[in-house]
C-alpha cells in the first residue's frame, strides 16, 4: 500500500480523492490551507473506517510550508509515493481588463507555484535516483485550460495551461526515475469553488453547454485520479484524462 499527499483535500475533489485512496488501503495526508474542521472530520471518518490518515495544514504557495508538509508526512506516515496536486483557487468572475496584478499573481502563486513546489518536493522523496521507490503524481488541471474561461477567469485558465505544460515536461524529465506524471481536466464539478467565484449556482447556468447536460460529481473526478495513480496506469505518463461530460 502507498503513501499519498492530496493537497486541498479538506473538501471538494480533494476530499473525494483522499477518501477513495484510504478506502483502497493507502495512507493519506489530507492537506488544507485554512479550514481545519472539515479536514479533521475527514481524517476521523477515514480512521473510523479502519484507514490511516493525518491532516496537515500548509499553504502550497509557501515554500517553507510545503517543505515542512513533506517532512511531516515522511515522519508520520512514511516515504511519499503518490502526490495529487489538487489545491487550486479562482477569484471573483471578472473580465481580464478589470483584473489587478495582485489578483493575477495570487492565482498563479497557488495554482502554478503550488503545483511546482509540491512536485519538486515529491520528486526528492520518490525518485529512484535518490533511493526512493518511484511514484506517481497527478496534477488537477481544468477544461478551462482549453476553453480559456472568457468573462469569468482567464487568469485561472492561464494558470491551468501552465499546469498542463509542466505536466508534459516533468513527465519526460522523471520517467526514468520511476515517476509517472499525469493530469486530469475536470469540467464543471459540484464543489464550493463556484461560490468562491461569486456564483454558487454557476453549474445550473452553464450545464446546458455540456453534451451530457449536467455537472459532474467530485467522486467521478476522483475515480480518474485514483486510476492514474494506480499500477493499472503503469504505462501512462504525460497524459490527460478529461472528466467533463464531453465539453
Ligand atoms: P474547492 O471545493 O474550492 O476546495 C479547494 C481546496 O483547496 C480546499 O481544501 C482548500 O483548503 C484548498 N486550498 C485552497 N488554497 C490552498 C492553498 N493555498 N494551499 C493548500 N490548500 C489550498 O475546490 P474544488 O472544486 O474541489 O477544486 C479542486 C481542484 O479542481 C482545483 O485545482 C480546481 O482548479 C480544479 N477544478 C475544479 C473544477 C470544478 O468545477 N469544481 C473544475 C475544474 C478544475 P481550505 O478548505 O482550507 O481553504
Amino acid at each position: 500500500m502507498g503513501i499519498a499527499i492530496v493537497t486541498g483535500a479538506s473538501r471538494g475533489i480533494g476530499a473525494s480523492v483522499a477518501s477513495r485512496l484510504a478506502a483502497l488501503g493507502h495512507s493519506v495526508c489530507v492537506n488544507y490551507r485554512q479550514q481545519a474542521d472539515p479536514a479533521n472530520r475527514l481524517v476521523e471518518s477515514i480512521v473510523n473506517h479502519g484507514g490511516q490518515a493525518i491532516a496537515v495544514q500548509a499553504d502550497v504557495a509557501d515554500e517553507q510550508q510545503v517543505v515542512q508538509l513533506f517532512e511531516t508526512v515522511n515522519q508520520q506516515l512514511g516515504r511519499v509515493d503518490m502526490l495529487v496536486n489538487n489545491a487550486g483557487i479562482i477569484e471573483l468572475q471578472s473580465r481580464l481588463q478589470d483584473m489587478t496584478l495582485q489578483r493575477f499573481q495570487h492565482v498563479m502563486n497557488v495554482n502554478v507555484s503550488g503545483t511546482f513546489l509540491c512536485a519538486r518536493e515529491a520528486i526528492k522523496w520518490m525518485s529512484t535516483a535518490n533511493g526512493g521507490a518511484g511514484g506517481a503524481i497527478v496534477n488537477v488541471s481544468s477544461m478551462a485550460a482549453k476553453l480559456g474561461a472568457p468573462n469569468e477567469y482567464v487568469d485561472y485558465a492561464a494558470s491551468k495551461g501552465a499546469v498542463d505544460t509542466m505536466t508534459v515536461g516533468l513527465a519526460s524529465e522523471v520517467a526514468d526515475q520511476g515517476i509517472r506524471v499525469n493530469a486530469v481536466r475536470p469540467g464543471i464539478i459540484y464543489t464550493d469553488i463556484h461560490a468562491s467565484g461569486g456564483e454558487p449556482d454557476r453549474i445550473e447556468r452553464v450545464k446546458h453547454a455540456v453534451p451530457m447536460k449536467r455537472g459532474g460529481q467530485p467522486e467521478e473526478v476522483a475515480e480518474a485520479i485514483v486510476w492514474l495513480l494506480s499500477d493499472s496506469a503503469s504505462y501512462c505518463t504525460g497524459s490527460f484524462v478529461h472528466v467533463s461530460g464531453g465539453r
Side-chain angles (χ1 to χ4, degrees):
M1 285 299 121
I3 292 161
I5 295 177
V6 184
T7 66
S10 55
R11 51 199 165 91
I13 294 168
S16 220
V17 174
S19 299
R20 190 81 189 99
L21 287 172
L24 292 169
H26 301 297
S27 300
V28 183
C29 166
V30 174
N31 159 254
Y32 65 98
R33 176 197 47 175
Q34 245 174 359
Q35 298 188 26
D37 285 353
N40 288 328
R41 277 199 299 275
L42 176 58
V43 165
E44 204 177 292
S45 149
I46 289 171
V47 171
N48 286 343
H49 285 86
Q52 192 180 19
I54 57 172
V56 181
Q57 190 282 329
D59 180 344
V60 295
D62 183 303
E63 186 170 24
Q64 275 319 308
Q65 292 185 31
V66 171
V67 170
Q68 188 58 52
L69 165 69
F70 278 78
E71 280 174 2
T72 303
V73 169
N74 185 53
Q75 281 161 13
Q76 295 190 19
L77 295 178
R79 197 161 180 149
V80 65
D81 58 5
M82 288 178 272
L83 167 67
V84 183
N85 270 318
N86 169 77
I89 55 161
I90 58 175
E91 296 285 336
L92 288 177
Q93 293 175 8
S94 166
R95 289 167 68 85
L96 183 145
Q97 66 201 33
D98 299 321
M99 290 176 189
T100 63
L101 178 61
Q102 187 190 24
R103 165 199 165 125
F104 184 86
Q105 289 175 336
H106 181 53
V107 170
M108 291 291 161
N109 277 342
V110 176
N111 297 359
V112 185
S113 303
T115 299
F116 152 70
L117 287 170
C118 292
R120 189 190 70 186
E121 291 312 301
I123 290 162
K124 286 182 191 164
W125 296 101
M126 292 177 184
S127 173
T128 52
N130 296 340
I137 297 173
V138 175
N139 294 329
V140 182
S141 175
S142 171
M143 287 310 295
K146 294 282 168 205
L147 299 168
N151 305 309
E152 293 191 325
Y153 13 71
V154 170
D155 51 352
Y156 168 81
S159 76
K160 294 300 187 177
V163 167
D164 284 3
T165 305
M166 202 170 358
T167 302
V168 172
L170 181 60
S172 290
E173 276 190 9
V174 297
D176 63 357
Q177 295 171 41
I179 305 171
R180 296 182 300 103
V181 185
N182 293 288
V184 295
R185 291 195 189 107
I188 43 171
I189 310 300
Y190 285 97
T191 73
D192 296 345
I193 204 168
H194 307 289
S196 58
E199 190 184 3
D201 294 332
R202 174 173 175 263
I203 296 182
E204 301 317 304
R205 174 172 61 83
V206 298
K207 69 181 182 187
H208 310 288
V210 177
M212 285 189 177
K213 305 290 178 208
R214 69 171 178 89
Q217 296 299 332
E219 293 75 17
E220 295 179 287
V221 183
E223 284 296 334
I225 294 172
V226 169
W227 178 74
L228 283 168
L229 289 172
S230 76
D231 288 342
S232 301
S234 53
Y235 200 48
C236 289
T237 199
S239 70
F240 294 82
V241 177
H242 292 182
V243 190
S244 61
R247 177 179 182 253

